[in-house]
Amino acid sequence: DAGVIQSPRHEVTEMGQEVTLRCKPISGHNSLFWYRQTMMRGLELLIYFNNNVPIDDSGMPEDRFSAKMPNASFSTLKIQPSEPRDSAVYFCASNFGGSDTQYFGPGTRLTVL
Amino acid sequence: KQEVTQIPAALSVPEGENLVLNCSFTDSAIYNLQWFRQDPGKGLTSLLLIQSSQREQTSGRLNASLDKSSGRSTLYIAASQPGDSATYLCAFPRSSASKIIFGSGTRLSIRP
């Protein structure tokens, strides 16, 4: 299995631009998680989906952030407009069952100038 | 509110030593507990998962224990190697449907 796939691996953009991060979970997994990791705040759960439905989005920082999961094999995390404080590494993870072992993607390092 | 503490924040030991990493939590109502490893610039890799009804899990040189009554979990690494250098995080959900809470991690460095 290829594992969780994220793209792009690195993204540098200017403040105010729209950013879209992509994730392909492991085939057969029915839960997908988006995390953000910074030095200051550590690893934070932004949102998680179960069977393509958002279950808990309480970690989404503000309305500039949105996430979708149109099918079982694809999810996006969009930031519009982006701000410098959004700079972080964004991880996607998946599993079968919300609390089972999670498998993480390699992350997307986002830099907003 | 569940709080998770990992002590120490950083640890440096010579190769070959046995070591213990600690994870403390304030609410004993956890569903399971997981230990992850994160290498610099990489994602997280799951090491061990202990179900709420279990007390420990072993994988190779790693042994994780869980004591819900005291709110503690430990990760024991035997005969440490330079390749064990990484950040180790504990994490757990309160129920099967709740989100997972991560500790801040212990940054481990094994000196050759």
Side-chain angles (χ1 to χ4, degrees):
Chain A
D1 196 317
V4 176
I5 299 173
Q6 290 187 248
S7 64
R9 293 294 308 277
H10 302 274
E11 176 80 30
V12 180
T13 190
E14 293 187 346
M15 182 175 63
Q17 296 296 307
E18 177 180 297
V19 175
T20 299
L21 311 181
R22 298 173 177 79
C23 175
K24 177 179 169 55
I26 292 174
S27 178
H29 284 182
N30 65 353
S31 292
L32 182 140
F33 308 79
W34 280 103
Y35 292 91
R36 176 173 68 177
Q37 187 175 40
T38 61
M39 287 293 291
M40 290 296 295
R41 300 174 67 89
L43 199 62
E44 304 172 279
L45 177 68
L46 301 177
I47 185 171
Y48 92 87
F49 295 85
N50 184 256
N51 294 323
N52 311 339
V53 176
I55 301 301
D56 185 346
D57 65 355
S58 60
M60 295 286 264
E62 48 198 278
D63 292 345
R64 296 185 297 107
F65 286 68
S66 63
K68 295 182 179 180
M69 192 164 187
N71 57 61
S73 60
F74 184 66
S75 176
T76 60
L77 178 67
K78 184 177 294 187
I79 309 172
Q80 165 65 17
S82 59
E83 297 182 3
R85 60 194 170 115
D86 301 331
S87 297
V89 180
Y90 291 80
F91 288 104
C92 175
S94 71
N95 68 7
F96 186 79
S99 60
D100 201 353
T101 300
Q102 294 187 10
Y103 296 85
F104 279 71
T108 295
R109 182 174 296 278
L110 173 65
T111 302
V112 183
L113 303 175
Chain B
K1 178 184 175 184
Q2 180 70 274
E3 292 190 1
V4 186
T5 304
Q6 287 192 248
I7 295 173
L11 181 65
S12 179
V13 301
E15 181 179 4
E17 281 200 8
N18 303 324
L19 56 98
V20 175
L21 306 181
N22 297 293
C23 173
S24 300
F25 44 93
T26 54
D27 187 345
S28 62
I30 63 172
Y31 189 71
N32 62 39
L33 187 138
Q34 304 176 28
W35 281 92
F36 291 86
R37 166 185 174 139
Q38 185 174 27
D39 293 282
K42 301 288 181 62
L44 279 71
T45 301
S46 179
L47 298 173
L48 291 164
L49 183 153
I50 310 175
Q51 298 291 348
S52 177
S53 58
Q54 298 175 318
R55 292 193 63 84
E56 65 177 327
Q57 280 286 331
T58 298
S59 176
R61 294 182 295 107
L62 305 180
N63 176 275
S65 67
L66 174 63
D67 185 344
K68 292 198 303 178
S69 62
S70 65
R72 287 188 59 194
S73 177
T74 60
L75 179 65
Y76 174 82
I77 303 177
S80 58
Q81 302 172 358
D84 295 330
S85 298
T87 297
Y88 291 80
L89 300 97
C90 64
F92 45 83
R94 291 193 68 245
S95 69
S96 62
S98 71
K99 63 184 180 183
I100 290 181
I101 302 169
F102 281 83
S104 55
T106 293
R107 190 172 65 254
L108 176 64
S109 175
I110 308 297
R111 305 189 300 270

